[in-house]
């Protein structure tokens, strides 16, 4: 007696228009979070995205889910920028420069503080995006050091915190006039990373673990 083969259920893929709506929502949310902070009304996000409120909530059941998606998408784009630069030129320092400038354009300095203030820092999606960025930047820096392009007394944490401090002020401050100086100041910082170093740095290289350590430790 033959056993009937169970029918395979078809995997439903999102329609193209549904994917476009989701992308529009994430783009609009990123812009408004940078301009006004993470507490901006989601109805305003929907209006800027050109979709209905129901479409926002269908894609993102709560504010935390939307903020997390925005931060992860920004991290993914900055990581891809460094990967593309490294693949196109093979120059590790150029890839590092590309990463830093794209990170500034993506407003990482304004978005990343939302991670600790609005939702679980250990969500698997967020950790995966963060680990990818950190792994890539560490790889690029190691290559640049091995090639004699990058001074040896700096760490990933040094680059990340300097890029954040030198790019746009935190969300909601209204200090937009400084934007035109961001890439100028970042390039001054990057030139200071080049080897051979003209001076020694006090203290030790900063790691990502140092950045995550509570202030009282």
């Amino acid at each position: 007696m033959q056993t009937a083969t169970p029918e395979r259920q078809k995997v439903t893929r999102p329609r193209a228009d549904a994917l476009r709506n989701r992308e529009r929502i994430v783009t609009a949310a990123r812009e408004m979070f940078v301009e006004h902070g993470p507490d901006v009304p989601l109805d305003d996000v929907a209006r800027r995205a050109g979709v209905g409120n129901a479409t926002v909530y269908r894609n993102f059941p709560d504010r935390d889910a939307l903020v997390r998606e925005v931060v992860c998408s920004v991290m993914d784009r900055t990581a891809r920028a460094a990967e593309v630069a490294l693949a196109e030129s093979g120059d590790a320092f150029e890839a590092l420069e590309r990463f830093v400038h794209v990170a500034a354009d993506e407003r990482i300095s304004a978005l990343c503080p939302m991670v600790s203030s609005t939702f679980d820092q250990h969500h698997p999606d967020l950790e995966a995006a963060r680990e990818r960025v950190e792994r890539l930047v560490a790889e690029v820096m190691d290559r640049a050091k091995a090639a004699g392009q990058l001074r040896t007394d700096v760490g990933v944490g040094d680059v990340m915190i300097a890029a954040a401090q030198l790019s746009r002020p935190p969300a909601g401050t209204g200090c937009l006039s400084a934007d035109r100086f961001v890439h100028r100041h970042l390039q001054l910082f990057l030139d200071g990373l080049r080897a051979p170093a003209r001076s020694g740095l006090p203290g030790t290289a900063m790691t990502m673990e140092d950045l995550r350590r509570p202030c009282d430790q």
Side-chain angles (χ1 to χ4, degrees):
M1 181 178 178
Q2 293 183 340
T3 303
T5 302
E7 293 184 3
R8 292 184 179 180
Q9 292 185 345
K10 293 183 179 180
V11 178
T12 303
R13 296 182 179 180
R15 299 193 317 272
D17 58 339
L19 291 174
R20 284 193 295 270
N21 283 342
R22 185 179 179 90
E23 290 173 1
R24 283 200 291 266
I25 293 167
V26 172
T27 299
R30 169 187 167 276
E31 293 171 355
M32 299 199 75
F33 290 161
V34 168
E35 293 170 13
H36 306 292
D39 296 327
V40 63
L42 296 188
D43 289 354
D44 291 352
V45 173
R47 277 193 290 273
R48 180 170 293 195
V51 301
N53 296 1
T55 302
V56 173
Y57 288 104
R58 187 162 54 247
N59 282 275
F60 304 101
D62 53 40
R63 183 182 302 276
D64 287 357
L66 179 54
V67 173
R68 182 168 55 248
E69 179 73 11
V70 169
V71 173
C72 287
S73 69
V74 165
M75 288 185 176
D76 285 342
R77 282 197 297 275
T78 54
R80 281 198 300 272
E83 287 174 335
V84 169
L86 194 57
E88 288 178 347
S89 70
D91 187 307
F93 199 92
E94 182 179 319
L96 181 62
E97 288 183 316
R98 181 84 65 89
F99 168 81
V100 170
H101 285 293
V102 171
D105 284 337
E106 292 288 348
R107 309 310 194 201
I108 277 186
S109 64
L111 294 172
C112 286
M114 300 178 192
V115 173
S116 59
S117 62
T118 59
F119 60 85
D120 182 10
Q121 299 180 51
H122 303 293
H123 189 281
D125 291 347
L126 179 63
E127 287 198 329
R130 184 168 53 205
E131 287 171 3
R132 180 188 176 203
V133 169
E134 292 173 11
R135 183 172 59 251
L136 176 64
V137 175
E139 177 187 348
V140 169
M141 290 179 68
D142 287 344
R143 288 197 196 185
K145 288 178 181 179
Q149 298 173 301
L150 177 66
R151 58 190 299 163
T152 59
D153 56 353
V154 293
V156 176
D158 291 313
V159 171
M160 299 298 285
I161 196 168
Q165 290 176 338
L166 291 173
S167 55
R168 185 174 178 164
T173 62
C175 299
L176 303 182
S177 61
D179 271 6
R180 67 183 186 276
F181 300 115
V182 166
H183 292 288
R184 174 184 176 88
H185 296 158
L186 286 173
Q187 194 58 49
L188 285 170
F189 162 69
L190 287 163
D191 286 348
L193 294 180
R194 285 190 178 275
R198 297 180 63 88
S199 63
L201 294 176
T204 58
M206 178 176 286
T207 66
M208 295 306 298
E209 288 70 25
D210 293 329
L211 288 180
R212 297 195 191 99
R213 190 173 294 123
C215 295
D216 56 354
Q217 294 185 9

